[in-house]
Amino acid sequence: MAKDKLIGVDLGGTTIKFAILTETGEIQQKWSIKTNVFDDGVHIVPDIIESINHHLDLYQLDPKRVIGIGMGTPGTVNRTTGTVTGAYNLNWKTEQNVKADIESGTGFLLTLDNDANAAALGEAWRGAGNNDDEVSFITLGTGVGGGLVSNGQLIHGTAGAGGEIGHVVVEPNGYLCTCGNKGCLEQYTSATGVVHLAQDFSEEYVGSSKLKQLIANGDEVTSKIVFDLAKDGDFLANKVIDKVAYYLGYATAAMSNILNPSAVVIGGGVAAAGEFLRARVEKNWQTFAFPTVRSTTRVKLAELGNDAGVIGAASLARVDTN
């Protein structure tokens, strides 16, 4: 019996997404479960094992057809030992033997990588990257992550920190980052970074603005609210978004000048602003990009949405067995 199915797992702090895919990356079934982070996260791996085994039975899929499982996870992944450390949003306070436990519980080979790397692979393979071998991915959410695909392979670096574009310094001596440095991209273009900028800009702005009024009243302000107000013509909100786009254009141009990918793909929750954000980023990117890069690399929006993680994770299993 031919092995022709892949299983992708996208492990997140609130939800675990699963999919069964063909070898070519077409999703055939997908489902999700809540992430149980109680008791130091001890339920997470058993829940993943149980859910995979249950759904193989439910879909009457012969295990002999499964090539393997790929999984994207928060934290630092040791791809040699198959362990995960530092996944604090999963409440994993110690090193987790994820690979050994899941392989033992399912009977399938498991390939692990960081969740942002998995999403990058997904977009490169089946999304905006158009299956090109040179694709750079940046995801804008609660934080800023990234994944770099070169020669068809992820760039991991010596210690797995390759592609940490969220920690490119864009404002020397700027906002303090959780990593300990100051001025990291993450502090200006993540969902929380957009709000931080809005609060700072509001203090200096003396004109009329709905955004300034919300902040002055102590009302809740989110990155989505800032973008929506900018789209409605709020002057202060547009100044904030212009600054966000400046930092993104600067950082992605620096990345592009080093790697010259066919595409820089922007994804994540903040990127839901769509063309409104992408066009402004590209304008700044054009300013900083090397001429050859400017004519050969494209700035694109991600296309796979929430499926990028499971598709990219599944591709890990495909690559691992070839």
Side-chain angles (χ1 to χ4, degrees), residues 9 16 59 76 85 90 110 138 144 162 181 194-195 216 254 291:
V9 183
I16 308 171
Y59 298 131
T76 300
T85 55
L90 300 177
L110 173 75
I138 180 169
V144 173
N181 288 339
V194 172
V195 174

Side-chain angles (χ1 to χ4, degrees), residues 180-252:
N181 288 339
K182 290 183 177 180
C184 293
L185 180 68
E186 180 170 287
Q187 295 305 308
Y188 297 90
T189 61
S190 64
T192 51
V194 172
V195 174
H196 194 169
L197 276 176
Q199 291 167 337
D200 275 7
F201 277 38
S202 176
E203 289 182 8
E204 301 172 1
Y205 185 65
V206 294
S208 62
S209 161
K210 177 70 179 298
L211 177 58
K212 182 175 176 67
Q213 184 181 344
L214 288 173
I215 292 171
N217 290 342
D219 294 331
E220 181 188 20
V221 174
T222 64
S223 62
K224 183 179 186 303
I225 288 171
V226 177
F227 274 98
D228 287 346
L229 288 172
K231 290 176 182 178
D232 288 341
D234 186 283
F235 184 83
L236 176 59
N238 271 289
K239 295 296 286 184
V240 173
I241 302 310
D242 282 344
K243 195 66 171 177
V244 170
Y246 168 83
Y247 287 129
L248 279 169
Y250 175 82
T252 53

Side-chain angles (χ1 to χ4, degrees), residues 7 28 31 67 73 75 103 121 143 176 184 246 257 311 319-320:
I7 297 175
Q28 296 191 312
W31 70 95
I67 297 168
T73 173
E103 287 183 344
L121 281 176
L176 179 65
C184 293
Y246 168 83
N257 291 345
I311 292 174
V319 170
D320 192 57

